[in-house]
Amino acid sequence: MDVKAQLLNLKEEVLKEIEGVKDPSSLNEIRVKYLGKKGVITSILKTLGTLPPEERKEIGQLANSIKEFLEEKIREYEENFKKKELEDALKREKIDVSLPPNWFDVGSPHPVLQTLKEITDIFLYMGFSVESGPEVEYEDYNFTMLNIPENHPARDMQDTFYLNNGMLLRTHTSPVQIRTMLKKKPPIAIVAPGRVYRKDLDPTHSPMFHQIEGLVVDQDITFRHLKGILKIFLESVFGKNIPIRFRPSYFPFTEPSAEVDIGCTVCGGKGCKVCKNTGWLEILGCGMVDPNVFTACGIDPTVYSGFAFGLGIERITMLKYQITDIRLLFTNDMRFNSQFKGIV
Ligand SMILES: [Zn+2]
């Protein structure tokens, strides 16, 4: 075969190879193999000198035109690859601006904490300060110094989680009264919100729940002060026209003691399941601080007097939102919790 035919064959061969490539790197291999410094066509061009002069020009031109043609073809295919790559990338990274946004869930305080904050704020507004105490408490602070000595029947009123060494899980926030009176001299006006524990579990009782305790101690504090403060508080939570009544009661750490009821918020006093057809809802316990509690804390009961009150936050929360089972508050069920979003 003469050089001319060889070149034309080669052209067809390379063209086929170019058309068959699947990726840009194979194109480069073809370029090196045929058109590179040591490539097939280049070596043919190098042998031009050995040809007779009349063929040299023709073959030289033919070889150069084939070389240019093939180089152009390779470039063309490379461009196509680049274009396709860009198109694929655009398709892959396409942003559909009409899609709905991915809403992310914004949390909110638990309904019990919302109520706790609301109640605490009312007392802060009236000039009370906030005190806190440990949940693992001395038996003395939880019972004895609150006028509930050992074997006193009142200890049976609260089913206690006892720990070792005279410690327990506090059954009420009242030990914060003791802690406050041991470290502060009157006048005292504090509220103590926090968690308390009792062995109890049914639709209206949870082994862990929240209370808020209030204590006011000064000279000449009377039951009238207690009634006034609680009236302002209850009206702030339940509205200006809420009926309020004080019922004589008994607590070891107050004397006299009272329980406070409000008119049923569900039936408006007509009688319903929630108020057990009485028209009244028991809301809190209160009373004048028993002189024995003052004495235990080193405060002279002949000089000072005071009042204390305590209430369950879950109960208020349940009444406010008409929740019928306390356990719903502690199951961490988002279907329940998310209903209280944005209430505060
Ligand atoms: Zn009712």
Side-chain angles (χ1 to χ4, degrees):
M1 204 191 291
D2 64 5
V3 183
K4 193 177 164 186
Q6 208 185 330
L7 274 171
L8 289 172
N9 273 345
L10 195 60
K11 181 187 168 188
E12 291 309 311
E13 210 177 289
V14 179
L15 197 55
K16 249 184 228 160
E17 255 188 75
I18 291 172
E19 282 165 358
V21 298
K22 298 267 187 294
D23 56 85
S25 63
S26 316
L27 280 174
N28 205 39
E29 280 165 23
I30 293 172
R31 180 185 280 128
V32 173
K33 187 172 158 195
Y34 297 102
L35 310 171
K37 271 185 189 162
K38 291 175 182 171
V40 180
I41 293 177
T42 318
S43 16
I44 292 175
L45 280 168
K46 274 179 190 164
T47 62
L48 278 181
T50 63
L51 293 174
E54 65 275 15
E55 279 182 40
R56 208 180 288 167
K57 196 180 168 198
E58 196 198 342
I59 299 296
Q61 278 174 350
L62 180 66
N64 271 324
S65 76
I66 290 176
K67 196 181 170 194
E68 271 166 31
F69 172 79
L70 292 174
E71 271 170 355
E72 184 51 39
K73 265 288 165 209
I74 291 176
R75 259 198 302 278
E76 189 187 306
Y77 271 71
E78 276 174 340
E79 282 303 310
N80 286 346
F81 273 120
K82 267 188 207 160
K83 236 162 121 183
K84 185 154 185 321
E85 203 179 312
L86 185 67
E87 273 168 18
D88 286 349
L90 282 173
K91 241 181 248 168
R92 218 173 30 243
E93 293 157 21
K94 193 175 161 196
I95 295 168
D96 184 350
V97 291
S98 68
L99 279 174
N102 270 337
W103 295 115
F104 51 91
D105 256 355
V106 179
S108 63
H110 189 277
V112 167
L113 288 185
Q114 292 184 24
T115 309
L116 191 62
K117 185 180 183 300
E118 195 182 315
I119 291 175
T120 308
D121 283 350
I122 294 168
F123 287 105
L124 284 176
Y125 179 73
M126 289 194 277
F128 284 65
S129 57
V130 176
E131 284 289 334
S132 61
E135 288 165 33
V136 173
E137 189 52 281
Y138 295 111
E139 212 175 319
D140 267 2
Y141 287 7
N142 193 80
F143 287 130
T144 320
M145 294 172 82
L146 284 161
N147 201 31
I148 317 172
E150 224 166 303
N151 302 321
H152 190 285
R155 291 206 185 195
D156 296 336
M157 286 164 67
Q158 303 167 357
D159 286 319
T160 311
F161 289 106
Y162 283 97
L163 307 169
N164 295 330
N165 310 327
M167 306 295 282
L168 43 73
L169 292 180
R170 67 179 179 188
T171 57
H172 46 189
T173 40
S174 306
V176 183
Q177 288 186 28
I178 303 296
R179 289 178 173 273
T180 306
M181 287 191 280
L182 286 175
K183 70 176 181 197
K184 274 186 188 167
K185 292 272 153 280
I188 292 168
I190 59 124
V191 281
R195 273 188 283 270
V196 300
Y197 302 84
R198 293 180 196 180
K199 287 181 191 165
D200 243 342
L201 184 63
D202 63 43
T204 52
H205 295 92
S206 156
M208 184 283 295
F209 61 103
H210 296 77
Q211 276 192 338
I212 188 162
E213 186 88 9
L215 174 72
V216 172
V217 183
D218 202 354
Q219 291 181 18
D220 304 321
I221 295 288
T222 70
F223 204 92
R224 280 199 307 168
H225 295 116
L226 168 60
K227 278 187 83 170
I229 291 284
L230 290 181
K231 188 170 182 288
I232 293 170
F233 161 64
L234 292 170
E235 285 178 351
S236 304
V237 178
F238 295 102
K240 257 274 172 258
N241 300 316
I242 190 81
I244 299 167
R245 75 173 183 191
F246 284 71
R247 255 185 312 110
S249 185
Y250 167 76
F251 301 108
F253 30 87
T254 45
E255 181 59 36
S257 302
E259 277 178 275
V260 181
D261 302 335
I262 56 167
C264 180
T265 50
V266 179
C267 64
K270 285 191 212 98
C272 69
K273 220 168 86 183
V274 178
C275 61
K276 294 181 185 107
N277 286 316
T278 61
W280 292 95
L281 297 167
E282 196 183 307
I283 238 38
L284 57 84
C286 63
M288 301 307 291
V289 179
D290 192 288
N292 288 342
V293 176
F294 279 142
T295 309
C297 297
I299 289 175
D300 187 348
T302 62
V303 180
Y304 293 102
S305 56
F307 65 79
F309 57 88
L311 62 146
I313 305 299
E314 279 76 2
R315 176 147 174 82
I316 307 281
T317 309
M318 289 168 75
L319 287 173
K320 243 175 94 179
Y321 302 122
Q322 308 205 346
I323 299 163
T324 49
D325 192 328
I326 194 170
R327 292 168 294 195
L328 283 169
L329 293 169
F330 303 118
T331 46
N332 284 333
D333 186 336
M334 285 310 289
R335 290 170 303 179
F336 175 80
N337 289 357
S338 62
Q339 295 177 57
F340 303 91
K341 254 181 209 174
I343 281 173
V344 158

